[in-house]
Amino acid sequence: MVATEIVTECVETLLEEEPLLLLDSDEDMIEDNEEDTLLIDITIKAVEDPLSAVTDITKKAEALETMRTVTPQPTARCSQLPLVLGAFKSKDPIRFRRNLRVSSSSFDVLLAKVGSNPVFNDDNSRRKQLPVNMQLAIALYRFGHNGSTSTVEHVAQWRGVSAGMVVKATRAVMKAVLALHDEVIKWPTKVVGGSQEQGTVCELSCLSEWILHG
């Protein structure tokens, strides 16, 4: 049951449970607190104009579903990602690798591999997704760090986004990477002749190098 249905049911319940009792002028019957005041306001409006009350509360419920909080408190954010994907990627490969644990060329190869995955074009999402390169960078930063620097909150502060966005980006990248399983993970082929053996050794060596050093 969505929030709007719950709100409608609550208003209907209030109307059924003799709401006029809540409108009694006797101050002893009503505690002076915010919850009772809100309940009285809702009840009065529900009695006077039920349709308007349901419409008003439904709008508030829909807003609550979107914001996930009653009183949003904006958090100051300053993303490091433009610096990493901009200046570091083109002019400072050491700092780029220190952040994402891969070289800029490896990053571009990964981006080309996962960028076309449908997971990055989800039209059912309420909010527009971050560019694929930023989602990949967020995931790589998490994969390449441990301890407190790999927590969702830390990565959110590093990127300048919400914690939920960090989780979604990581999951999207993982889905895109796992979709490549059959393409990039294969058993070594049967060795026939020296050239194929050398090629197989070279492929395995390159793969080991990429895993160990990015």
Side-chain angles (χ1 to χ4, degrees):
M1 184 180 292
V2 297
T4 52
E5 294 175 345
I6 295 174
V7 170
T8 303
E9 184 177 313
C10 289
V11 172
E12 291 174 350
T13 302
L14 282 173
L15 292 174
E16 292 173 359
E17 295 181 353
E18 300 183 9
L20 292 178
L21 290 177
L22 292 174
L23 306 182
D24 198 297
S25 60
D26 187 356
E27 295 181 357
D28 294 333
M29 296 182 60
I30 303 174
E31 296 181 4
D32 186 16
N33 61 55
E34 187 176 351
E35 290 185 1
D36 284 340
T37 301
L38 178 60
L39 180 59
I40 292 171
D41 291 342
I42 293 175
T43 307
I44 292 175
K45 193 163 187 178
V47 172
E48 294 177 346
D49 190 351
L51 181 59
S52 176
V54 172
T55 302
D56 183 50
I57 300 174
T58 299
K59 289 181 179 179
K60 292 179 180 178
E62 290 174 345
L64 184 60
E65 282 185 332
T66 303
M67 297 183 297
R68 303 298 182 187
T69 179
V70 177
T71 55
Q73 298 180 357
T75 302
R77 299 187 178 102
C78 184
S79 175
Q80 294 291 305
L81 208 47
L83 178 64
V84 174
L85 294 179
F88 289 175
K89 187 173 185 294
S90 60
K91 300 179 181 180
D92 197 336
I94 294 178
R95 285 189 170 85
F96 182 84
R97 182 187 291 271
R98 188 178 297 161
N99 276 269
L100 304 187
R101 300 298 193 238
V102 296
S103 65
S104 59
S105 57
S106 294
F107 181 85
D108 290 338
V109 170
L110 284 171
L111 183 60
K113 287 286 187 181
V114 304
S116 59
N117 192 287
V119 72
F120 297 112
N121 298 296
D122 185 7
D123 295 331
N124 296 323
S125 178
R126 291 186 176 183
R127 295 185 178 182
K128 187 177 180 180
Q129 291 194 40
L130 289 174
V132 181
N133 64 331
M134 291 187 176
Q135 294 192 56
L136 177 59
I138 288 173
L140 289 176
Y141 187 93
R142 291 190 71 188
F143 299 156
H145 293 77
N146 55 27
S148 60
T149 58
S150 64
T151 63
V152 171
E153 188 61 35
H154 179 90
V155 180
Q157 183 177 347
W158 172 79
R159 169 56 185 91
V161 295
S162 66
M165 182 64 73
V166 172
V167 173
K168 289 181 179 179
T170 305
R171 288 176 178 173
V173 170
M174 283 303 302
K175 288 179 180 178
V177 170
L178 291 174
L180 298 172
H181 178 278
D182 294 340
E183 177 184 341
V184 298
I185 306 296
K186 298 179 181 179
W187 289 103
T189 56
K190 183 178 180 180
V191 177
V192 180
S195 60
Q196 187 169 357
E197 180 179 3
Q198 292 177 356
T200 303
V201 172
C202 179
E203 290 174 4
L204 292 175
S205 175
C206 293
L207 178 60
S208 300
E209 181 72 15
W210 185 86
I211 293 174
L212 293 175
H213 304 291

